Amino acid sequence: MIEIIPNLHPVFVHFTVTLFVITGLLQLIPWLFKEKVQNNVFIFIQKWLVILGSLAVLVTVVTGVQAYYSVSHDTPSHLAMTDHRNWALITAVIFLLGAALFYFMPKLRQSVAGSCFFVAFLLVTVTAFKGGELVYRHGLGVMALPQVTGEGHDHDHADGGHDHGTTENVSAEPVVQGHQESSHEHSSHEHSSDKTSDHHQTSTSPLFNGLDSEAAKAVIAFHTAINSGNAEQARRLLDDAVIIFEGGGVERSADQYANHHMKSDMAFLNKMNITSEEHQVKIIGEMAISMSRSQIKGNYKDKVIDISSMETMVLRKNNNGWKIIHIHWSN
């Protein structure tokens, strides 16, 4: 079971949804038939629903936060996961507020507290829908989806990538969750690899220039570190406040990248053959711009990868050498 469900959030969330729905719908009874519900049996049922709902939502939120920081994901699914988390927290707060009013201010049970329960019922439907999208649209929390063929089964982000333009050239495959399992489709990463020719070599072509500069060496060193799995070296070459644009998402620090997408980049690129089609580095004072295009091919998770990528890096020179302050990966 643990191998199928990477965390306990899916176990508890269904109890919370059910209890919220029942509590919210039950609240309609005193509003519509007020004279018929002022009895001990109805209040008893309400109390237990509130108690169980409060306990369930607390456990669900705790396991949900744990899932948020542990389930592998890409940038599009990270945005969807954050949206789901925000809706869930708002829903939980409203229900718990109603629970507090229900127990500590009995006179407000069927008015303010009841309103909180009904609003929580409405909100949990939206929250549950967004949670379902994380699994069925983004493939989070699952080991793999079955491979399918035929019309209408061209899953755009099948390798879990950062939308690096792979939808045109990547065949359908089992959808694998996460960065570390299936990283970013990397259409923009032209990292060097032992599996490829030395695509960073100096060339007389106008498409390859400035590669002997110290800034270019820093870029190449970063590519090599990412492709070889040297996280410490890759992190050292990034400015602390680096901003990374990729697939419609953004990461705003080196630590954020290191803790989220770096591992998946490493896992993915280690399996790829990369051919550089263009790499130019221009030095402007203590700033440098690296612009490159490359072709990435290989097999990953039984999927054929054949994508074109583009990368722009901005570097700044300081006392510790050249540091990357901005990266933009795209197709």
Side-chain angles (χ1 to χ4, degrees):
M1 179 178 177
I2 298 300
E3 293 182 354
I4 299 174
I5 302 176
N7 58 77
L8 295 175
H9 182 63
V11 175
F12 295 104
V13 69
H14 297 92
F15 292 101
T16 299
V17 172
T18 301
L19 289 166
F20 276 28
V21 170
I22 295 175
T23 305
L25 291 177
L26 192 68
Q27 185 56 41
L28 294 176
I29 295 178
W31 287 350
L32 297 177
F33 310 101
K34 186 174 181 179
E35 68 282 358
K36 298 182 180 181
V37 298
Q38 298 302 324
N39 59 72
N40 293 333
V41 175
F42 184 83
I43 298 300
F44 178 81
I45 293 173
Q46 274 192 314
K47 284 183 177 179
W48 274 105
L49 285 173
V50 173
I51 290 173
L52 294 175
S54 299
L55 292 175
V57 73
L58 288 173
V59 178
T60 301
V61 168
V62 170
T63 55
V65 171
Q66 185 268 334
Y68 179 81
Y69 287 104
S70 62
V71 171
S72 299
H73 58 276
D74 57 15
T75 292
S77 57
H78 176 76
L79 297 175
M81 191 162 54
T82 300
D83 186 40
H84 170 64
R85 179 203 64 185
N86 294 341
W87 276 90
L89 291 176
I90 293 172
T91 304
V93 168
I94 291 176
F95 186 89
L96 292 174
L97 175 61
L101 293 172
F102 185 89
Y103 277 97
F104 298 111
M105 303 185 71
K107 293 182 179 180
L108 299 179
R109 280 177 178 171
Q110 309 307 339
S111 54
V112 181
S115 298
C116 289
F117 297 145
F118 189 75
V119 171
F121 151 63
L122 297 177
L123 292 178
V124 81
T125 59
V126 179
T127 304
F129 174 79
K130 291 180 178 293
E133 279 202 320
L134 295 180
V135 177
Y136 295 106
R137 184 182 296 276
H138 297 279
L140 294 185
V142 299
M143 295 179 67
L145 295 180
Q147 185 168 357
V148 292
T149 58
E151 297 283 336
H153 293 284
D154 185 12
H155 304 295
D156 287 351
H157 298 286
D159 75 347
H162 266 197
D163 190 27
H164 283 250
T166 61
T167 58
E168 295 180 358
N169 301 316
V170 180
S171 61
E173 69 152 348
V175 177
V176 180
Q177 157 198 315
H179 293 319
Q180 60 203 36
E181 289 292 334
S182 62
S183 128
H184 313 289
E185 304 222 40
H186 295 261
S187 62
S188 64
H189 297 49
E190 64 142 11
H191 310 293
S192 60
S193 169
D194 293 336
K195 300 178 180 62
T196 68
S197 60
D198 183 9
H199 60 279
H200 288 296
Q201 61 188 331
T202 303
S203 170
T204 56
S205 167
L207 298 181
F208 295 85
N209 57 65
L211 303 189
D212 292 330
S213 65
E214 292 301 315
K217 292 177 182 178
V219 173
I220 295 170
F222 177 78
H223 290 165
T224 303
I226 289 292
N227 198 64
S228 63
N230 190 338
E232 183 179 348
Q233 172 68 1
R235 170 63 180 83
R236 189 161 47 242
L237 290 163
L238 294 173
D239 185 81
D240 289 343
V242 64
I243 295 179
I244 300 175
F245 291 162
E246 184 172 17
V250 56
E251 291 176 299
R252 300 186 181 278
S253 73
D255 287 339
Q256 185 182 8
Y257 173 64
N259 293 327
H260 287 83
H261 299 145
M262 182 186 288
K263 291 181 180 179
S264 59
D265 287 349
M266 291 176 176
F268 178 83
L269 291 169
N270 183 257
K271 304 294 184 181
M272 296 296 106
N273 293 318
I274 307 163
T275 303
S276 180
E277 298 177 338
E278 180 176 0
H279 191 182
Q280 302 187 49
V281 178
K282 300 182 183 299
I283 310 297
I284 308 170
E286 294 190 345
M287 303 287 289
I289 301 176
S290 169
M291 300 165 287
S292 59
R293 297 185 299 113
S294 59
Q295 193 71 20
I296 300 177
K297 296 183 179 181
N299 251 292
Y300 194 76
K301 297 291 183 181
D302 299 322
K303 174 167 52 176
V304 176
I305 306 295
D306 186 358
I307 55 181
S308 298
S309 68
M310 291 185 287
E311 172 189 272
T312 301
M313 286 190 180
V314 180
L315 299 90
R316 180 172 56 204
K317 187 177 182 180
N318 59 29
N319 294 334
N320 297 318
W322 289 92
K323 298 289 185 179
I324 301 167
I325 64 172
H326 175 61
I327 303 174
H328 190 172
W329 285 314
S330 65
N331 62 297

